Amino acid sequence: MKILGIDTSTHSTSVCVIEDEKLICEYTVNTKKTHSQKLMVMIESMIKESDLNIKDIDSIAICIGPGSFTGLRISMATAKAIAQVRNLPIIAVNSLESLAFNMNLCDKIICPILDAQRNQVYTGKYKFENGEFKTIEDIKVIEIESLIEELSNKDEDFILVGEATILYKEKLEPVENIYVASASNNVSKASSLCAIGAMKYHKDMDVYNCYTVNPMYIRKSQAEVQYEEKIKRLENDK
């Protein structure tokens, strides 16, 4: 089974194709170009360089968030369009479990963090036990200081992975039981997304079609928050 993976939940754009347990091709670009500028070009180039045709794809693994609202909409629209034309199943994977899977040989508790703005992060906790990937704690939004305090008071070691580790590097480095993943593992990878997607597909978990899959929005977008604040101010001024 060939799976096309698409992840635009963070600053990076990542796409790949895997066949069973074989990685055929993966492109990851972490530049200032927008996802809309990069995504389709990358998919088309990857398919061509892999000597494949879009008709060869059997399913799509999509990162549903949390993350960039605009990025999620772009990848979701792209996945839905391809799935609708080809009548393909879409496997939903959240961005934190995908990041955690970058550390699949790690024996520590893995704590992915993504910027949620306003000094907050999206986070969760995951672990590999006897080769099985397990969710220890579901996704939440928390202030970075509160997360650091929570982890530092534990008797366990944690490895943090994700873009927010760069943002909060100075706050994380002094904590003795917190380790930060290398640069190569801190970026979202479609190959990790597809690996989890394949596991979910075979367990018939989180498998949707182009009409039923949706992004995961943990909180309102900044534009929505600002709009609501504006409405409140106008009502108070009446």
Side-chain angles (χ1 to χ4, degrees), residues 170-209:
E170 293 182 359
K171 293 182 179 181
L172 297 172
E173 284 183 338
V175 186
E176 292 185 358
N177 66 330
I178 288 179
Y179 300 85
V180 176
S182 65
S184 61
N185 288 324
N186 269 330
V187 66
S188 300
K189 296 180 180 180
S191 53
S192 292
L193 172 77
C194 279
I196 298 178
M199 291 191 304
K200 289 189 173 188
Y201 182 84
H202 292 303
K203 293 179 180 179
D204 196 25
M205 292 173 53
D206 299 325
V207 180
Y208 302 90
N209 60 42

Side-chain angles (χ1 to χ4, degrees), residues 20-34:
D20 300 322
E21 296 183 359
K22 176 185 177 182
L23 173 62
I24 295 177
C25 187
E26 180 177 28
Y27 285 0
T28 300
V29 179
N30 194 11
T31 65
K32 291 184 178 180
K33 283 187 177 181
T34 64

Side-chain angles (χ1 to χ4, degrees), residues 115 119-121 144 164-172:
D115 183 27
N119 206 46
Q120 296 179 323
V121 293
I144 186 62
T165 59
I166 301 170
L167 182 62
Y168 296 111
K169 181 180 178 181
E170 293 182 359
K171 293 182 179 181
L172 297 172

Side-chain angles (χ1 to χ4, degrees), residues 4 56 122 147 166 193 210 212 216 224:
L4 168 65
D56 297 321
Y122 299 111
L147 177 63
I166 301 170
L193 172 77
C210 64
T212 57
M216 175 189 290
E224 289 174 310

Side-chain angles (χ1 to χ4, degrees), residues 103-204:
M103 309 302 301
N104 68 314
L105 295 179
C106 177
D107 59 358
K108 297 179 175 61
I109 294 177
I110 307 163
C111 185
I113 57 172
L114 292 173
D115 183 27
Q117 300 184 342
R118 299 185 178 184
N119 206 46
Q120 296 179 323
V121 293
Y122 299 111
T123 190
K125 294 184 180 70
Y126 305 86
K127 192 169 186 179
F128 287 87
E129 292 182 351
N130 300 319
E132 186 177 351
F133 182 63
K134 294 184 177 181
T135 300
I136 305 299
E137 184 180 287
D138 285 330
I139 299 171
K140 65 180 178 181
V141 180
I142 186 173
E143 289 190 357
I144 186 62
E145 288 83 3
S146 298
L147 177 63
I148 292 173
E149 182 180 3
E150 174 191 325
L151 300 184
S152 63
N153 287 329
K154 302 281 187 180
D155 293 328
E156 302 167 283
D157 290 336
F158 296 87
I159 185 157
L160 270 62
V161 57
E163 291 180 348
T165 59
I166 301 170
L167 182 62
Y168 296 111
K169 181 180 178 181
E170 293 182 359
K171 293 182 179 181
L172 297 172
E173 284 183 338
V175 186
E176 292 185 358
N177 66 330
I178 288 179
Y179 300 85
V180 176
S182 65
S184 61
N185 288 324
N186 269 330
V187 66
S188 300
K189 296 180 180 180
S191 53
S192 292
L193 172 77
C194 279
I196 298 178
M199 291 191 304
K200 289 189 173 188
Y201 182 84
H202 292 303
K203 293 179 180 179
D204 196 25

Side-chain angles (χ1 to χ4, degrees), residues 43-53:
I43 292 175
E44 290 171 358
S45 177
M46 179 180 65
I47 295 293
K48 180 180 178 181
E49 291 298 323
S50 301
D51 294 324
L52 295 173
N53 187 293

